[in-house]
Amino acid sequence: MSLLTSLARLRALDEGIAQPVATVRHCHLSDRPMVFIPLKLSGESAAPLAAMLGTDRDRPRLLVVTQPRNRDLRFAWAAELAGVLLPYVESFLNDTETVERRNADPYERALDAPQIVVPNLTGVAFTRLLGRSTRFRRSDGPYPVPEAVPLLGRWLTYLGERAAYPGSSLVLAATEELGRHWASGQSSLEDANLAALLGWITTGPGDEAEDPLIWPPAGPATDPGFDAEVLAPAIESGSAERITEALRTQVEPTWRLMWQAVDLLAALPAGPSVTQRWEQDRGSFSGMAVHLAEGAPPQPRRDGAVTAAAKLARMERAQAAYDVQRAYDDPLVMAEYRLTGEAFAGEVAETVPDHTEGEGRSRKLRPLVVIKTDDPVRLPPGTSLGTPQRRGQGAELVEAGEGLVTVKITKGMGRGKVAAPGAVPEVGERVCYTSLTDDFQGSPALPEAEATPWTHGGPPHDYVPDDEDAQEEWS
């Protein structure tokens, strides 16, 4: 936990209301999100119990497994879930745009993409587990399942994996996104309680937020008291109506909280970099759709060494870019780096816009900017800098003295002999410079999968799903 977040939590505790730790929204929010609240059977890792989902807050759809230990009923429930989720996902594949790429063929990218909103991180994990439990099933042969179930499993697996990708908004966990924008006066563990966290943000803490009779757990696990006193007798009775109504009492309160969370996030303006990250999500979603259309096999149980290394490199690069973008988009996030000396802000005291370096044809324009700041600057001379006020412009730290910092602009001034209008800050302008930049080195070249060294398992065998794959969770 950073220093500013700790201070915000202390202030929230003192004032009895959550404190904002962001000035803009750092996630994309769809005009038509699919809210998905899954419940699982207590004591089972992937036995679904119920799910409430939908894109219309006034018309939720409740799907229930009346006998959760019955395999046929579980897969019938999965088929019913597919009947709701798959049309929603596939509705975004109709409208596309052609995207040109450097040194690569153009491709078709969906104009929009689905967005699944779950209550918490355990909901994300359960979604991924549902995908793992269904993507290897077959619609023919022994123990067939409805045809839509394996396709549902592949989409859920993709969405669950994409949720771990830094900056992705295809799958959002409500508690995570709320906690990224507000600091409550309770611990991070307590923030996983959606009702309690929303209480801190809206009206302040209250004992009723932790009362399971008023606000049941947001899933996937249910309250033990409910399991013993309500659910177990309902299942033993064999009454589908009784079971359905019992489970409805557990998900309807969370349904209301989920849309309250969506409204709170929607009230924040989107950060400038959100659109760029959503374009990446749309590209990834379109790639998955092409993968399925080409008849590729389901995602393997484990990635090969080369695939895993490439995936890790992409995620590390995405995390670094996400950290930079959040800081550039949001002064409150940048303040964290100002405290650590990785950024400084102040007022321009002096400029030398015609300063040059070199002689003759090698002479280069290098304007100097002197900034008066009260921030601690712990960066050595020569450090590459960037600025949120002029994205794409590069600078270099020349020297830092008592309250004065001199920087040299190195790129982003135009191609003329003098700097382009507006490229050099004006005296009196408020600016911020930071060592956080988006100039990252590319990933090292990886061998082809067929050239995987023996130290990493050797070349992978062609992956063909077998019966063992299908015997994971719902056998």
Side-chain angles (χ1 to χ4, degrees):
M1 186 184 300
S2 66
L3 178 59
L4 277 184
T5 302
S6 299
L7 289 173
R9 286 190 178 277
L10 289 173
R11 184 173 181 179
L13 185 61
D14 181 60
E15 297 187 3
I17 195 77
Q19 300 297 305
V21 290
T23 61
V24 296
R25 175 166 36 87
H26 294 287
C27 62
H28 174 80
L29 203 58
S30 172
D31 294 333
R32 191 165 59 100
M34 172 68 73
V35 171
F36 178 47
I37 308 170
L39 296 182
K40 72 179 184 70
L41 184 65
S42 178
E44 300 286 343
S45 59
L49 188 59
M52 182 168 278
L53 69 164
T55 58
D56 186 341
R57 69 182 68 201
D58 298 321
R59 300 178 60 187
R61 181 83 177 269
L62 178 61
L63 311 179
V64 174
V65 184
T66 54
Q67 292 294 335
R69 292 185 176 87
N70 184 302
R71 177 188 182 279
D72 294 336
L73 291 179
R74 289 201 299 267
F75 282 111
W77 176 89
E80 197 174 1
L81 178 63
V84 180
L85 278 181
L86 291 183
Y88 170 73
V89 169
E90 293 168 354
S91 68
F92 294 93
L93 299 175
N94 299 324
D95 299 322
T96 63
E97 60 183 354
T98 302
V99 179
E100 301 290 339
R101 295 183 291 181
R102 182 181 298 178
N103 301 325
D105 295 332
Y107 77 102
E108 293 298 311
R109 182 174 66 192
L111 293 177
D112 203 358
Q115 184 177 64
I116 310 297
V117 186
V118 296
N120 45 43
L121 287 179
T122 52
V124 175
F126 187 67
T127 299
R128 186 167 57 247
L129 194 54
L130 283 177
R132 174 184 170 186
S133 304
T134 53
R135 71 178 185 265
F136 296 115
R137 301 295 170 172
R138 298 175 180 174
S139 58
D140 56 5
Y143 307 110
V145 299
E147 189 173 348
V149 170
L151 180 58
L152 172 70
R154 297 178 69 175
W155 274 117
L156 291 180
T157 298
Y158 164 75
L159 292 169
E161 291 179 348
R162 187 69 185 177
Y165 194 85
S168 174
S169 295
L170 287 180
V171 178
L172 298 180
T175 53
E176 285 297 296
E177 294 306 324
L178 292 172
R180 193 170 281 124
H181 295 83
W182 285 274
S184 72
Q186 59 187 4
S187 69
S188 298
L189 182 62
E190 291 170 311
D191 279 349
N193 183 322
L194 181 59
L197 180 55
L198 280 170
W200 272 97
I201 295 171
T202 55
T203 60
D207 294 337
E208 65 275 4
E210 299 181 9
D211 187 343
L213 296 178
I214 301 176
W215 297 110
T222 51
D223 178 63
F226 166 79
D227 292 340
E229 299 172 13
V230 180
L231 182 61
I235 292 177
E236 290 176 3
S237 72
S239 170
E241 181 178 357
R242 183 177 172 185
I243 296 170
T244 300
E245 290 308 310
L247 292 170
R248 187 184 301 277
T249 65
Q250 298 300 292
V251 290
E252 279 190 339
T254 302
W255 178 262
R256 297 193 297 272
L257 293 176
M258 289 291 288
W259 287 104
Q260 184 181 5
V262 169
D263 290 341
L264 283 169
L265 291 170
L268 294 172
S273 301
V274 168
T275 299
Q276 177 186 342
R277 293 196 295 273
W278 185 242
E279 287 178 354
Q280 296 170 356
D281 276 335
R282 291 192 286 123
S284 174
F285 167 70
S286 302
M288 178 61 184
V290 171
H291 183 78
L292 291 174
E294 292 176 348
Q299 300 95 324
R301 297 172 68 184
R302 298 177 184 86
D303 289 324
V306 173
T307 301
K311 184 181 294 186
L312 179 61
R314 288 195 300 270
M315 293 184 70
E316 289 176 341
R317 172 71 174 80
Q319 182 65 63
Y322 182 50
D323 292 341
V324 171
Q325 290 168 358
R326 288 186 68 234
Y328 275 48
D329 287 352
D330 196 331
L332 278 181
V333 178
M334 182 65 79
E336 303 276 5
Y337 297 97
R338 291 172 59 187
L339 282 174
T340 61
E342 297 172 83
F344 57 90
E347 186 176 292
V348 176
E350 181 184 354
T351 64
V352 186
D354 57 352
H355 178 263
T356 60
E357 291 183 349
E359 299 292 337
R361 299 184 64 180
S362 63
R363 178 177 296 180
K364 297 179 180 178
L365 182 66
R366 292 292 184 264
L368 297 178
V369 181
V370 180
I371 302 149
K372 182 179 180 181
T373 179
D374 295 326
D375 294 343
V377 182
R378 300 186 177 93
L379 302 172
T383 300
S384 296
L385 303 173
T387 173
Q389 285 74 35
R390 293 168 175 82
R391 300 193 185 201
Q393 187 176 93
E396 182 181 304
L397 180 65
V398 178
E399 62 177 351
E402 290 295 329
L404 292 176
V405 181
T406 302
V407 300
K408 173 174 62 180
I409 301 176
T410 57
K411 67 176 183 179
M413 302 164 288
R415 297 181 177 273
K417 293 183 179 180
V418 296
V424 180
E426 300 288 340
V427 173
E429 182 179 343
R430 182 82 179 173
V431 295
C432 176
Y433 284 90
T434 176
S435 59
L436 294 171
T437 65
D438 203 10
D439 297 332
F440 304 111
Q441 293 184 349
S443 303
L446 295 171
E448 296 294 330
E450 294 74 15
T452 304
W454 66 268
T455 54
H456 292 71
H461 300 291
D462 291 337
Y463 178 70
V464 179
D466 54 26
D467 289 337
E468 182 181 352
D469 288 323
Q471 302 299 318
E472 289 193 328
E473 305 292 343
W474 283 12
S475 300

